[in-house]
Amino acid sequence: MGNMGSRTISALVRNRPGVLAGISAQFGLADCNIDRLTVSADRDPALAWMKISAKTDDRTLSTLLTRLEAMQEVLSVRARDARKETMAYGTVAYCLFVVIFGINLASPIYSIYKETWDLTPSMVTALFAAYAFPVIPSIVLFGQMAHRLGPRRILGAGLVFAASGSLGLAVADGYGWMLAARTMQGVAVGMFNGVAVGAMTDLHATRDRRTAAFAAAAMVTAGNALGPVASGALAEFAPMPTVLPYAVHLLMLVAAMAGLAFVDMRTERVPRSRLHLPFVPAGLRLAFATAATSSFIAWSAVSLFLSVVPSYLDEWVGRSGYLLSGCTAAFVLGLSVLGQRAMEKMPATVAASFGCAFMAFGLASLFLSNASSSAAWLVASATCVGLGHGPLYAVGLGAVNRISPDAARADLISLYYAITYVGVSLPVMGLGFAAQLLDWTEAIGWWTAAMLALLALVWRGWMREARFRPKECSE
């Protein structure tokens, strides 16, 4: 009879009454129980996608597919092994983690580059933020190209760009080479953000958008956290501190490439839509603006702990060290992961309120730490920024992924990440330039005041949007 196992059947059907009953009847005739069934809208409102999970053997599966293909209301149908689908889901998550792991390997060793090439504060922050600028157009372009080329090709190319970036950083002999390598890393991140979230949603056993988004957010946060720790530890205890971290990352990327090459990631449909500027449907604009601005603030604050704080730790609180610098960034993002997990089941408005409160106290503590050269206030700031970052980023991404109609999901996720990476780059660069005109304390004070004002607007937006729900929308 063939191998018995859990299979996932995907069917594109006409969105009409009675179709579900007809499909269920075919499973009944084959003496096969449906374990799980989800229905999602297609870009064409007259069509819908059904994803059905069932335990069956090869012969019964073949019979079912033949019967479903013969139904007038079923336009296309195919089956995948649930275990292979789960493996593909995990592989995409790992690839996302590895790409993000590489972008902050330089954070603990910025002090080496600063001393070697006599970098100013603005040059340090520009080096950190350089990867964020190509991310934004890359997200928009490749988020749409994934529908044409398929996610595997986009993600595979992203791994190649990530490897090129790490190789460039390992052999860089000047500031210009570093900027070029960081740009390559930015293209890789742009290829993954949005495409990976969409692929993980499609591959998730129940197509649960919130769960897939939280898992993707956890991979991004964990990659950002563990990269600096690994780099700091290698720089502290191993030779070649500006080469070895990138060599380790290249090995991790090879494993990711091998995994991606052997998993089944066939897309369910490849629509031939034109490339276009992303748009937010009218009925979702307030909800989207609130969620995206939450992520903007969250990553603006964390960017300080990935750039300015590690490279100026000795001047800030009188302590330094590569591992200490890496652990400072990891501590913030590690708490972010804990915050995401702790608040994953909370209503969005409750989790966002906690996030706003923690972030507000963290930003105030950051100013006090710099003003008093206090390590205690810096620890308090790192703790609260981390606990605030988790819910603001993950709840925002989960809300956008959940409220997005299928026809606009790629656009909304692309824009969400584009705004996020504006937050990664522009505020920290602005602080770097301000520090050259003012002293650090004054520059941090103005920066903190601006972030707190924006945070108040975000909290008000979450309170107005009691729930993020799909709405009827138009362009």
Side-chain angles (χ1 to χ4, degrees):
M1 294 194 50
N3 296 326
M4 176 68 95
S6 180
R7 314 297 174 92
T8 300
I9 298 174
S10 298
L12 179 64
V13 303
R14 300 189 190 280
N15 193 8
R16 296 176 181 173
V19 175
L20 177 58
I23 290 178
S24 299
Q26 297 301 325
F27 277 80
L29 290 172
D31 196 26
C32 180
N33 288 328
I34 294 176
D35 296 330
R36 187 181 295 113
L37 184 148
T38 58
V39 181
S40 58
D42 186 71
R43 290 173 179 271
D44 184 345
L47 304 176
W49 278 101
M50 287 188 181
K51 193 169 187 178
I52 306 165
S53 298
K55 290 183 177 66
T56 181
D57 56 63
D58 293 341
R59 180 182 298 178
T60 304
L61 177 63
S62 178
T63 300
L64 269 172
L65 294 177
T66 300
R67 289 177 174 176
L68 292 174
E69 287 172 349
M71 293 179 64
Q72 185 177 0
E73 303 297 334
V74 177
L75 302 182
S76 68
V77 61
R78 67 184 180 86
R80 285 191 293 191
D81 190 311
R83 289 172 299 180
K84 293 181 179 178
E85 197 169 55
T86 300
M87 185 179 297
Y89 178 87
T91 299
V92 174
Y94 172 73
C95 290
L96 177 61
F97 165 79
V98 169
V99 168
I100 301 301
F101 180 91
I103 62 175
N104 290 313
L105 286 174
S107 291
I109 53 178
Y110 279 137
S111 57
I112 297 178
Y113 299 127
K114 181 165 68 81
E115 293 175 6
T116 302
W117 299 322
D118 193 26
L119 304 183
T120 65
S122 62
M123 293 174 74
V124 172
T125 54
L127 182 59
F128 165 78
Y131 85 95
F133 292 104
V135 168
I136 297 169
S138 296
I139 288 173
V140 174
L141 174 62
F142 293 108
Q144 297 178 41
M145 291 299 292
H147 292 304
R148 300 182 174 203
L149 302 178
R152 186 206 297 271
R153 293 180 180 177
I154 301 297
L155 299 182
L159 293 175
V160 172
F161 271 94
S164 300
S166 282
L167 182 61
L169 290 169
V171 302
D173 60 357
Y175 186 70
W177 282 105
M178 289 285 291
L179 289 175
R182 292 286 285 167
T183 300
M184 299 288 280
Q185 289 184 316
V187 175
V189 173
M191 287 180 163
F192 264 81
N193 282 324
V195 176
V197 175
M200 289 174 67
T201 301
D202 290 337
L203 293 167
H204 190 268
T206 62
R207 286 180 63 91
D208 188 321
R209 295 186 177 192
R210 180 180 172 90
T211 301
F214 264 82
M219 291 299 101
V220 170
T221 308
N224 275 304
L226 295 179
V229 172
S231 178
L234 291 171
E236 191 84 31
F237 303 113
M240 300 183 296
T242 60
V243 175
L244 192 57
Y246 307 118
V248 171
H249 185 232
L250 286 169
L251 292 176
M252 296 171 68
L253 287 166
V254 169
M257 292 175 186
L260 193 64
F262 289 102
V263 297
D264 180 8
M265 285 187 59
R266 290 173 294 174
T267 53
E268 294 179 338
R269 197 182 187 198
V270 186
R272 296 291 179 181
S273 57
R274 291 182 178 179
L275 295 178
H276 60 275
L277 291 175
F279 72 96
V280 180
L284 303 178
R285 286 172 186 167
L286 178 60
F288 175 83
T290 300
T293 308
S294 298
S295 184
F296 176 96
I297 295 171
W299 282 103
S300 295
V302 165
S303 291
L304 293 186
F305 289 91
L306 294 169
S307 58
V308 173
V309 174
S311 54
Y312 289 89
L313 200 58
D314 185 47
E315 300 173 28
W316 202 311
V317 295
R319 300 181 185 181
S320 62
Y322 303 128
L323 184 57
L324 177 61
S325 296
C327 287
T328 300
F331 178 70
V332 176
L333 290 164
L335 287 174
S336 174
V337 174
L338 292 178
Q340 290 174 32
R341 300 299 299 172
M343 300 183 189
E344 183 175 357
K345 302 300 182 183
M346 289 184 181
T349 50
V350 175
S353 294
F354 274 111
C356 288
F358 278 118
M359 185 60 69
F361 190 80
L363 291 172
S365 299
L366 185 67
F367 170 75
L368 294 173
S369 169
N370 182 255
S372 61
S373 298
S374 168
W377 277 116
L378 184 61
V379 171
S381 174
T383 301
C384 292
V385 166
L387 292 174
H389 173 273
L392 287 178
Y393 167 55
V395 171
L397 178 58
V400 170
N401 197 34
R402 191 172 65 252
I403 66 175
S404 302
D406 280 1
R409 187 174 67 181
D411 282 355
L412 266 65
I413 291 178
S414 296
L415 279 176
Y416 178 85
Y417 275 116
I419 292 170
T420 294
Y421 282 99
V422 171
V424 168
S425 55
L426 289 187
V428 73
M429 287 185 66
L431 177 61
F433 283 110
Q436 291 185 234
L437 303 175
L438 312 168
D439 61 34
W440 267 116
T441 301
E442 196 172 356
I444 287 286
W446 282 107
W447 188 92
T448 301
M451 288 295 107
L452 287 173
L454 193 57
L455 190 64
L457 293 176
V458 164
W459 179 81
R460 183 182 178 188
W462 281 103
M463 293 302 99
R464 290 180 63 181
E465 289 292 315
R467 292 181 180 179
F468 281 82
R469 294 181 180 273
K471 300 178 181 179
E472 293 298 322
C473 50
S474 59
E475 285 188 52

